[in-house]
Amino acid sequence: MKRARISLIPCRSLIFLFFIKSILYSFDPLVPESGSHFADTAIAPHIRCYLSQNLAPHARNILNEARIITSLYNAWFGPAPFPEIVIVDKGLINADTTVAENTVIIQPPVPFTRLFERHLAKEIARIWFDGKKSNEPFLSFGLPAYCASRYLETVYDDGNLLDLPAPIPFLSKIPDLYLHQVYFYVFGVNNLTKSLDQYEEKPPDGFTINTLESQTVLLLKVLEEELGKEVIDSGIRRFRHSAKTVPAFLACLSATSGPEKEVLINRLFRQDGSQDLRVERVFRQGENVVINLKARTKLNFPIEVKTVFADKSFRIDTVNLGKTQVIFPTEKKVKQVLLEPKNRVLETDRWNNFYPRKITFRPIFALPDFEAYQIFYGPWFWYDNYRGFQPGIWFQGRRFIDAGPVRGEHNWTLIQNYASKKSDWHTGISYQTPVLFYPKRLRLYIAADNSFRDRGIKTYFTAEIGHPFRLPKNEIQFGYRLYELIDTTGRDSRAWNRARTAEIRARLFRTHKYPFFSCRHELIFSQGLKPLLSEYNYSKISLEENLIISPFKPLSLSLRLFAGAIKGNVPLQERFYLSGGLSYTNAEPISWAYEGMASGQEHWHYDGDVNCRGYYGLYRSGRFAYGINIHLVPPPELGFPFSLIQPFFDLGNVADSLNQSEFFKPVLDAGIRLKLGPLYADFPIWKSAPEPNENQFAFRWSLGFKLTGLVPGL
């Protein structure tokens, strides 16, 4: 369905355009002293907008979208409860302002997406169903989310979530329903879902709201298939005049669909998302085909089993999973079995509903699939002046994505490439999967790498403790690493030497937040042991503290503290460095460094160790180290580009002994960081201890990428 074009200048209406000064609307308590007023009063409900100068250029689109939304809601659910709807820019309202029930608060649109329309449709739906004054979460959040999903689907068809100037193969067809499936999957695998009539009044956080919204949308989509949209709409119109509870909503649906559907409606809609259906085994037993089925808990309604045979014929049987073995008397060869093809059961793991398991092959990339194991492939190519051309290929397999609170399984990557100058191959492989996921998230990770330059293996377990979406966050990591550098070409000899190290490593990580500051603590202990194939015996410990302090909002200060010590015989690459880490860490996932203009610690940078950035490329190192790094974080209100500029100041030192007098006399530097999300560039300008024949204002630069930049406040 194409979007309708609605004129902002109806024949019998007066429309205010452009910037209306405060004297024209000073009597409206919602409107501040500056802004713009736009209105469309053609058809009830009338739409009135009060927008700041930032949103004023979008006024035509906002009024147009609001008119389409209200027209559709009028047709589906009956007339609006108010003759007028007021849309107000959030930037124009103070925190202590009381808004009317017919008021929609909006934020700036997100480029290349329809998230703004999605938000606008939800907020208008809350007005339609009295959700703004209700303490019933289903009414305030669940039902409006379904209405917004219906709107996007009706106006934009399936590819309704992104608004891209040109189609991108794997992104052009993302529907709003897919986003709800992702939300439900993430919350479901963390055991955070429950029946919709069990959610408490006033959900405590955004994650609970997202869970509620996604469950409601998915369940009502199931009922759409069972009852039809007309029955759903009729039930919602009846519901608007009844008690505002989940049981009342189900009673209204039952009344419009007939008493024979009442049991099915109640059982389908009251699912809590904890079910898991599975096709366990398919085999022949004499002249029969035997299909073993399993459910995590006993189902209280029958499900369907679709069996596809080798001759492309199929049959659909309705079974009750009170018993787990179903026997089909047939001599045909079974090609495929699909458990619950209509997807009426709210479950996270749909992969095991198929026999055989579904596998898809995709070039380069595709969105995560909820029903198939995905295998990707693509070319690899690189060039540098000491390895020459490096053509290759990579493969990757995954069952969804496995990271943090998102549970995937059996994720692996294989890369194979050839170095022309060295006439040698490089092979790398990694694998990870959850061992346990609920209530504690324990993962296994294994990786191996072999080339003419270096080789090694590492394996470790990572356990995440605590609520998956709330602070504090605790992580414990324990593992073994073997690394051997066999060719130092392209490595600076001041920091790297040919060596083989093997160590047992433990890492403790904790993140928490208080009203005026947030903290991240990281304690790492490594023990190098010759019996574990190491050429060195050493003990290494380091402590890192990261704090974001906000004494006066919106001004923030980032403070990093570091201290470390090493005992025993240690290779150069395991020492502490004044100018930053030698290799990537969890916070710095950059995995390459080359000589010259892109060498480690000169232009591609790894946050680590003392991190005095004015000393890039000098490779001063020691067994003992301490450092302090300070950033001034400007408020976003400054706008581009000033909000990207972060002045910094570093101090610290390294030494081989605590008795060295120079160790406790820190070296200093200062400069500017430009930061955009996870990307940053550091420009140290001044340092206190220049090299011989070097000015204190020697200019350097480096680039970096920080995953923690994606997490607000950390």
Side-chain angles (χ1 to χ4, degrees):
M1 175 178 176
K2 300 294 185 182
R3 290 188 57 179
R5 292 187 175 273
I6 297 177
S7 172
L8 290 178
I9 312 179
C11 298
R12 296 186 293 258
S13 301
L14 178 63
I15 300 180
F16 294 99
L17 298 174
F18 308 111
F19 301 104
I20 306 297
K21 297 300 181 182
S22 59
I23 188 64
L24 298 180
Y25 48 87
S26 58
F27 298 103
D28 193 323
L30 286 175
V31 183
E33 296 182 356
S34 63
S36 297
H37 172 207
F38 304 86
D40 182 357
T41 59
I43 305 172
H46 304 154
I47 308 296
R48 193 176 300 278
C49 294
Y50 296 100
L51 306 177
S52 66
Q53 292 186 5
N54 291 332
L55 280 183
H58 301 282
R60 185 181 185 87
N61 287 337
I62 293 172
L63 286 172
N64 193 29
E65 290 159 3
R67 172 55 56 211
I68 297 173
I69 292 168
T70 54
S71 298
L72 290 175
Y73 289 177
N74 268 327
W76 294 340
F77 313 128
F82 298 101
E84 180 178 75
I85 292 178
V86 181
I87 300 174
V88 182
D89 184 352
K90 183 178 181 181
L92 300 180
I93 296 182
N94 296 325
D96 57 352
T97 301
T98 301
V99 298
E101 295 173 9
N102 65 331
T103 302
V104 173
I105 309 300
I106 60 172
Q107 294 180 336
V110 180
F112 307 117
T113 75
R114 296 191 176 100
L115 294 176
F116 175 83
E117 286 181 70
R118 185 174 182 261
H119 168 75
L120 185 62
K122 282 197 291 187
E123 291 302 307
I124 292 177
R126 291 183 67 195
I127 295 175
W128 227 268
F129 301 109
D130 299 326
K132 294 178 69 66
K133 63 180 181 181
S134 172
N135 290 329
E136 174 62 48
F138 170 74
L139 193 64
S140 298
F141 305 103
L143 195 54
Y146 168 73
C147 298
S149 187
R150 277 277 299 274
Y151 159 73
L152 291 173
E153 181 186 272
T154 302
V155 176
Y156 298 107
D157 298 323
D158 291 336
N160 55 45
L161 200 58
L162 299 183
D163 186 15
L164 301 173
I168 299 176
F170 58 87
L171 292 178
S172 58
K173 290 294 183 181
I174 302 181
D176 174 68
L177 185 62
Y178 181 83
L179 184 60
H180 286 297
Q181 288 174 317
V182 171
Y183 282 148
F184 169 72
Y185 177 79
V186 174
F187 299 133
V189 296
N190 287 281
N191 205 41
L192 297 177
T193 60
K194 48 192 171 183
S195 178
L196 289 179
D197 54 3
Q198 293 179 354
Y199 283 91
E200 299 83 4
E201 295 182 355
K202 297 181 180 178
D205 54 43
F207 298 109
T208 304
I209 294 172
N210 286 334
T211 309
L212 173 67
E213 290 180 344
S214 298
Q215 280 187 249
T216 304
V217 172
L218 295 177
L219 289 171
L220 282 174
K221 285 295 181 181
V222 169
L223 290 180
E224 273 186 14
E225 296 296 323
E226 292 290 328
L227 308 176
K229 291 181 180 178
E230 295 79 8
V231 173
I232 298 290
D233 294 347
S234 179
I236 290 177
R237 286 194 294 269
R238 182 187 291 258
F239 174 63
R240 291 182 62 191
H241 304 288
S242 70
K244 300 303 189 293
T245 63
V246 173
F249 176 75
L250 298 180
C252 291
L253 286 184
S254 300
T256 56
S257 60
E260 68 279 358
K261 295 287 187 179
E262 181 176 359
V263 174
L264 181 64
I265 290 172
N266 278 274
R267 289 178 175 176
L268 286 177
F269 201 76
R270 282 200 163 96
Q271 297 179 81
D272 61 7
S274 64
Q275 186 59 269
D276 181 24
L277 307 181
R278 178 189 297 268
V279 181
E280 288 278 281
R281 187 184 176 197
V282 177
F283 62 97
R284 295 201 67 86
Q285 190 177 73
E287 296 182 355
N288 297 325
V289 173
V290 178
I291 302 176
N292 283 351
L293 307 176
K294 187 176 182 180
R296 179 179 295 166
T297 58
K298 184 177 179 180
L299 281 169
N300 55 9
F301 59 87
I303 63 169
E304 293 183 350
V305 181
K306 181 178 180 179
T307 307
V308 181
F309 301 102
D311 61 1
K312 297 185 180 180
S313 63
F314 68 91
R315 60 181 287 175
I316 296 178
D317 297 87
T318 301
V319 301
N320 190 329
L321 281 190
K323 56 180 182 179
T324 59
Q325 188 177 82
V326 182
I327 300 177
F328 297 134
T330 178
E331 295 181 355
K332 292 184 178 181
K333 183 178 180 180
V334 173
K335 183 179 180 180
Q336 185 187 52
V337 176
L338 173 55
L339 187 56
E340 192 49 50
K342 292 183 180 178
N343 202 6
R344 298 182 305 168
V345 178
L346 201 62
E347 54 180 330
T348 56
D349 291 322
R350 283 277 297 174
W351 297 276
N352 50 29
N353 289 33
F354 294 82
Y355 170 85
R357 304 293 187 245
K358 290 178 62 176
I359 299 176
T360 60
F361 294 87
R362 297 285 186 272
I364 306 298
F365 186 74
L367 290 171
D369 197 307
F370 297 97
E371 297 185 344
Y373 189 87
Q374 297 173 292
I375 296 179
F376 305 102
Y377 58 91
W380 166 269
F381 181 81
W382 196 255
Y383 173 83
D384 59 57
N385 58 5
Y386 55 89
R387 284 184 284 194
F389 292 98
Q390 299 155 60
I393 190 170
W394 59 266
F395 297 91
Q396 185 182 80
R398 72 181 187 202
R399 205 183 93 171
F400 212 75
I401 295 172
D402 183 44
V406 184
R407 188 198 69 189
E409 291 185 356
H410 309 302
N411 289 242
W412 56 269
T413 301
L414 171 66
I415 183 171
Q416 182 76 54
N417 66 301
Y418 180 78
S420 61
K421 282 191 176 182
K422 294 294 183 177
S423 300
D424 206 343
W425 290 88
H426 167 229
T427 303
I429 187 170
S430 65
Y431 171 82
Q432 74 175 52
T433 194
V435 180
L436 300 171
F437 198 79
Y438 182 81
K440 308 300 180 187
R441 294 172 298 284
L442 176 65
R443 288 181 170 90
L444 167 67
Y445 179 84
I446 303 172
D449 190 84
N450 181 63
S451 71
F452 65 89
R453 177 176 174 172
D454 52 26
R455 55 193 175 209
I457 61 172
K458 58 182 176 181
T459 178
Y460 59 82
F461 289 93
T462 299
E464 298 172 28
I465 303 171
H467 192 284
F469 300 104
R470 299 191 187 101
L471 297 178
K473 176 183 177 182
N474 303 286
E475 182 178 302
I476 301 173
Q477 189 180 99
F478 182 80
Y480 169 77
R481 185 190 72 159
L482 172 65
Y483 178 78
E484 182 175 15
L485 180 61
I486 54 182
D487 187 338
T488 57
T489 303
R491 303 274 194 178
D492 196 301
S493 59
R494 292 172 294 176
W496 298 87
N497 56 266
R498 295 180 59 174
R500 184 175 69 246
T501 58
E503 63 180 23
I504 298 293
R505 185 175 185 269
R507 174 178 177 263
L508 304 178
F509 179 86
R510 176 176 170 82
T511 302
H512 54 100
K513 194 170 186 178
Y514 297 101
F516 298 105
F517 67 95
S518 59
C519 304
R520 291 192 296 115
H521 318 280
E522 184 178 51
L523 177 65
I524 299 177
F525 175 77
S526 303
Q527 180 67 55
L529 296 171
K530 286 188 175 181
L532 298 178
L533 303 179
S534 177
E535 296 177 350
Y536 299 87
N537 276 320
Y538 61 90
S539 300
K540 180 179 179 181
I541 189 169
S542 64
L543 175 65
E544 182 177 325
E545 300 280 338
N546 285 275
L547 298 89
I548 301 292
I549 306 171
S550 304
F552 307 104
K553 289 188 176 181
L555 185 65
S556 296
L557 190 71
S558 173
L559 179 65
R560 175 182 178 269
L561 310 175
F562 176 83
I566 300 173
K567 178 182 179 182
N569 186 21
V570 66
L572 286 175
Q573 49 262 40
E574 297 298 332
R575 292 159 65 93
F576 295 115
Y577 282 83
L578 180 65
S579 48
L582 289 179
S583 59
Y584 67 94
T585 66
N586 291 341
E588 294 288 331
I590 301 172
S591 55
W592 59 86
Y594 298 114
E595 65 177 339
M597 289 298 291
S599 65
Q601 288 201 339
E602 290 182 42
H603 296 292
W604 281 107
H605 174 241
Y606 310 105
D607 273 0
D609 297 354
V610 180
N611 210 43
C612 282
R613 284 156 283 187
Y615 301 86
Y616 287 151
L618 300 183
Y619 296 103
R620 297 184 186 178
S621 65
R623 296 172 180 272
F624 300 91
Y626 67 93
I628 301 176
N629 311 119
I630 303 172
H631 288 88
L632 182 64
V633 183
E637 287 80 357
L638 289 180
F640 181 86
F642 302 104
S643 61
L644 309 182
I645 300 174
Q646 299 183 359
F648 68 78
F649 178 77
D650 305 322
L651 64 90
N653 215 336
V654 293
D656 283 330
S657 171
L658 294 177
N659 295 326
Q660 290 180 326
S661 59
E662 296 296 320
F663 178 63
F664 295 102
K665 297 179 181 178
V667 298
L668 316 174
D669 66 55
I672 297 293
R673 166 171 286 189
L674 300 181
K675 191 172 188 302
L676 180 61
L679 301 173
Y680 65 85
D682 284 335
F683 300 93
I685 299 172
W686 170 86
K687 61 181 181 179
S688 64
E691 296 296 293
N693 302 320
E694 184 184 31
N695 191 284
Q696 282 187 309
F697 291 93
F699 182 82
R700 297 174 183 271
W701 65 275
S702 71
L703 304 175
F705 181 88
K706 184 183 289 292
L707 276 180
T708 50
L710 297 172
V711 182
L714 298 179

